[in-house]
Every structure is written in structure tokens, then in C-alpha cells.
Amino acid sequence: MSVALCVYNGERWLPAQLDSLLAQQDVALEIIIVDDCSTDRSREILRWYARRDARIQVHENKFNLGHLRSFEKCMAMCTSPLIAPCDQDDIWHPRKLAILADAIGNADMAYCDSAYIDEAGRPLNRCISDDLGPMHAGHDALRYAFQNTASGHAMLVRRRVFDNARPFPEKLYHDWWLALCAASGNGVAYVDQPLVQFRRHDDAASPLGKDANGKPQPTPPGARSRNRKWLEQLSYMMQAIGDTNWSVAAQARDWHEALRTGLECNFRGLMKLTWRDRASVPPWNGGFAWLRAVRFYARFRRKANRARREPKLTTPLFGG
């Protein structure tokens, strides 16, 4: 089994994470690490661990590639049929990989819940599932298009899924794209256990749970364009899926066209698709599928009307 760990200025967190990786039980392990031009002591720490454990391979980028391309490079160097992406600042349960390997079955991906901890490693008594609501599983890729619940640090994915997902879309999170690819294939399995201690701090790459410790969060720079951003994110996602050969590609192309015309005040296409795919659209918190479809359609119309009055985006489409 392969772990793909990307590092950038992670000296504060690396020893705890590396110790938790080396403590994984009942799995044959290789740990592939890419350092993306760290300027702190990260490389020194990585080399120290690599000298002491042959399971660790460290590769150092000559130029900063950024989060997305570093993960793509790191996962490409993995040799196992099963790959676990890994962040530098978390702590894994000793049986995380073994449990996910047991759970994956015939699916293309398995993932677990994660429990938030603060900078010092203290529990925040909250999990990702508390924030995201129903955690998706199965073969409905459209659900992942509307909301991803599979975080990269919590997943175990088949190498063939990674190969089929390349190249990663330029603007999209790598874990979101992998989850979409897996759901479009043999599906996704979910383990309802928090097998990762997911550290929240100001420099964390993911925005998930950053307010879990009760600290006031600054207003995002793009808050004035939040409806426009939601619509443009969804449109970008559907267009990217539509350009693949995945099973959901035709549906995604339909959605991309309906989103485009919806922003021009023509909602007929969206009405038809919302009804056709009523089992896939949010919200997923119970109730009749037809009622959820009505609620989603009404929500979209509100967002589209607001988006037309909002300024153009000045922040990255995903993140920022």
C-alpha cells in the first residue's frame, strides 16, 4: 500500500504525522514524499526519517509546483494498487489503512470520517461529518459534484482511478476530482469512524472546520460574490466531468448547458434536469425526492438572480 505525502513548510507537524504513518498496523507500506521547496526545516526532518526507515522515499521539487501538481506527481510515483493521499499536519489512527483496505471491497475508493484537533493536538469535539451532513457513498457521482464529502487525507483510492483521473483539472481540488472519478466507476465506500485527527490551524490548506474551535473567522474576500462563485464552481465542475469518458459525462454536459442558460434567465432546462436527477440533487436530509427537487430548483433561481447583481470574482474559483 502506498502513502502519498506532500510537504510544504510543515516542520511543526511532520514528526507527529510521520510517526503515525510508520505505526500503521497490518499493512505492507511504502511512503512516497514530495517536498515542494520548503524553506523551513521540513527537508532536514524528512531526510532524517528516510535514513532510519527504508519504507520512506523523499523527493524534492526543484521548483514550487503547488498543492495540486505536487499531489499529482507524488501519486504518480506510488507503486501500489492502493494509494492513500496524506497531508503533513494530521495524525492517523494506527489501523486507518487496514480498516479502509477491508472496507473498499469492489469499490474504487473508501474513505472515513475525521475528528478535528487544534494546533496543539487538543480534540475540538467535532467531526467533518458534523459539518457536511450525509456522507456520500455508492455510485451517484452527481452527488459529489454538488458537494464533496471525501477528503483526500481520509481516502484510500485505487491506482487505476488516479490514472483515469489524470490530468487533474487546473482549478479543482484533487480529492474532489478523485471522488468524482471513483463514484463514476465502481463506486465509493464510507467508513463511519473518525480515523484521522484533522488538525485545524491558520495555515491549513483546507477551509473545512477552521471555525470549529470557536475562533472568529475573517470575512472571505469573495463574500460579496458568493452566489456567483457557487454557480461558477458548479459550472466548471460539470464542464470538466463532461470532457471525460466517465459514465456520468453526458449528464454533466446537460447540467453545464442548463447552468449556462439559467444564468441568462432561461430556467426550463434546469427544471427538467432537476426533476430527472431528483435523487441526486441537494438537500439530502430526508423527505420526498420530488420535494427536494422543488427546493433545489427554487434555490438555484434565487442564487442566479442574486449572482447577476454581484461583482465578478476576484478570488480563486476554488478556495480563496
Side-chain angles (χ1 to χ4, degrees):
M1 192 174 301
S2 298
V3 171
L5 168 60
C6 289
V7 172
Y8 179 72
N9 289 351
E11 66 175 351
R12 287 185 64 187
W13 327 113
L14 274 173
Q17 177 64 303
L18 289 169
D19 288 344
S20 78
L21 298 183
L22 295 173
Q24 290 297 299
Q25 299 172 2
D26 301 324
V27 290
L29 198 63
E30 69 168 6
I31 302 172
I32 308 298
I33 303 175
V34 168
D35 180 86
D36 197 23
C37 300
S38 292
T39 57
D40 63 359
R41 294 181 56 253
S42 291
R43 291 190 174 188
E44 179 182 336
I45 294 169
L46 294 173
R47 291 167 186 165
W48 187 90
Y49 272 85
R51 286 195 298 268
R52 285 157 179 79
D53 198 304
R55 293 175 292 177
I56 296 177
Q57 300 177 37
V58 178
H59 304 268
E60 300 175 357
N61 287 343
K62 294 182 179 179
F63 306 98
N64 184 275
L65 297 180
H67 190 75
L68 181 73
R69 296 305 166 205
S70 288
F71 261 110
E72 190 169 1
K73 174 181 176 179
C74 190
M75 293 179 73
M77 290 188 287
C78 292
T79 63
S80 170
L82 294 173
I83 303 174
C86 179
D87 293 337
Q88 65 187 11
D89 46 5
D90 302 328
I91 300 174
W92 287 9
H93 186 283
R95 288 191 50 77
K96 176 202 170 184
L97 292 179
I99 291 172
L100 290 179
D102 287 341
I104 198 169
N106 294 322
D108 276 341
M109 175 186 291
Y111 75 106
C112 61
D113 203 355
S114 303
Y116 298 125
I117 58 175
D118 68 9
E119 292 185 57
R122 295 182 293 256
L124 295 173
N125 301 316
R126 191 170 182 83
C127 292
I128 284 182
S129 59
D130 295 320
D131 291 340
L132 296 184
M135 304 292 273
H136 306 318
H139 298 79
D140 192 345
L142 280 182
R143 286 197 173 206
Y144 289 93
F146 289 113
Q147 180 203 39
N148 181 43
T149 59
S151 298
H153 68 263
M155 68 174 53
L156 183 66
V157 61
R158 296 194 187 277
R159 171 63 193 238
R160 65 171 181 260
V161 174
F162 166 71
D163 290 335
N164 196 30
R166 299 178 71 189
F168 294 162
E170 181 179 353
K171 299 178 182 179
L172 189 60
Y173 300 121
H174 69 282
D175 50 4
W176 201 341
W177 190 242
L178 288 168
L180 282 162
C181 185
S184 298
N186 291 331
V188 177
Y190 172 62
V191 175
D192 191 17
Q193 298 178 53
L195 301 177
V196 177
Q197 295 180 56
F198 186 37
R199 198 185 303 269
R200 301 292 73 205
H201 55 89
D202 290 341
D203 296 328
S206 169
L208 272 174
K210 281 197 173 181
D211 58 352
N213 58 5
K215 292 182 181 178
Q217 298 299 307
T219 302
R224 291 178 59 219
S225 301
R226 63 181 179 273
N227 295 289
R228 179 180 292 276
K229 186 170 187 175
W230 182 83
L231 291 166
E232 291 188 12
Q233 283 179 337
L234 191 54
S235 180
Y236 179 87
M237 181 90 62
M238 294 300 183
Q239 184 177 32
I241 299 169
D243 289 338
T244 69
N245 61 356
W246 302 348
S247 61
V248 74
Q251 286 175 280
R253 289 192 290 270
D254 292 342
W255 274 98
H256 181 256
E257 177 62 18
L259 290 165
R260 185 188 65 79
T261 57
L263 284 171
E264 299 170 357
C265 293
N266 179 351
F267 298 109
R268 286 176 295 181
L270 183 78
M271 182 184 296
K272 292 178 181 178
L273 287 186
T274 302
W275 182 254
R276 185 193 72 182
D277 298 328
R278 56 190 178 276
S280 303
V281 298
W284 300 285
N285 54 354
F288 297 108
W290 67 266
L291 182 57
R292 297 201 308 270
V294 171
R295 291 169 63 188
F296 176 80
Y297 175 71
R299 179 190 181 203
F300 179 89
R301 290 198 62 154
R302 288 195 303 271
K303 283 186 169 291
N305 289 329
R306 292 167 182 166
R308 283 192 292 273
R309 299 191 295 270
E310 292 175 350
K312 291 183 178 181
L313 292 179
T314 56
T315 57
L317 185 57
F318 294 88

